[in-house]
Amino acid sequence: MLPHRCSRDGGNIAPALEWSQVPDGTAELAVLCEDPDAPNGTFVHWVVSNIPPTVTRIGGGDVPDEAVESRNDFGDRGWGGPHPPAGDEAHRYFFRVFASEQPLGLGADATADDLRDALAGHELARGNIVGLFQR
């Protein structure tokens, strides 16, 4: 379960994510968080790119200076915490970390689809974890 402090009405602080074993040849890491249980289809909560391959942790209110946080589906840049409809079953929040063999070149207006397109054919590895949240 994601803590309340990560939710949109509870502080809106991105959960801390950690990873290891970044493959040799990685030029850039990226993170994507999506809720496939949203009422109107998959909802993007976080798109982060340009994370140096030496970084092994982000979130908890902190991202590397060089990282680029793009727009979420709330229309804001950076983390947009869970805010499922009250009374819904717990929603799933898929956090994915990607290793790319080349710089992705994404800016602050990039979308989740832009990230997926930039990764196509250049993804060396990925890691996944699913968080849950319910109001």
Side-chain angles (χ1 to χ4, degrees), residues 6-10 12 35 38-39 43 45 74 79-86 88 91 93 133-135:
C6 296
S7 71
R8 190 128 174 107
D9 14 316
N12 206 40
D35 170 8
F43 192 93
H45 286 269
F74 290 112
W79 170 250
H83 191 75
D88 267 16
H91 282 214
Y93 297 85
F133 189 81
Q134 182 176 25
R135 294 191 316 144

Side-chain angles (χ1 to χ4, degrees), residues 64-83:
D65 289 340
E66 52 272 83
V68 176
E69 292 185 282
S70 299
R71 290 196 188 279
N72 57 50
D73 282 346
F74 290 112
D76 303 323
R77 287 192 176 96
W79 170 250
H83 191 75

Side-chain angles (χ1 to χ4, degrees), residues 47-72:
V47 179
V48 188
S49 60
N50 203 40
I51 302 168
T54 55
V55 170
T56 59
R57 180 185 188 284
I58 68 166
D62 190 28
V63 296
D65 289 340
E66 52 272 83
V68 176
E69 292 185 282
S70 299
R71 290 196 188 279
N72 57 50

Side-chain angles (χ1 to χ4, degrees), residues 82-99:
H83 191 75
D88 267 16
E89 299 268 333
H91 282 214
R92 298 168 297 156
Y93 297 85
F94 287 77
F95 292 86
R96 295 178 176 96
V97 179
F98 301 95

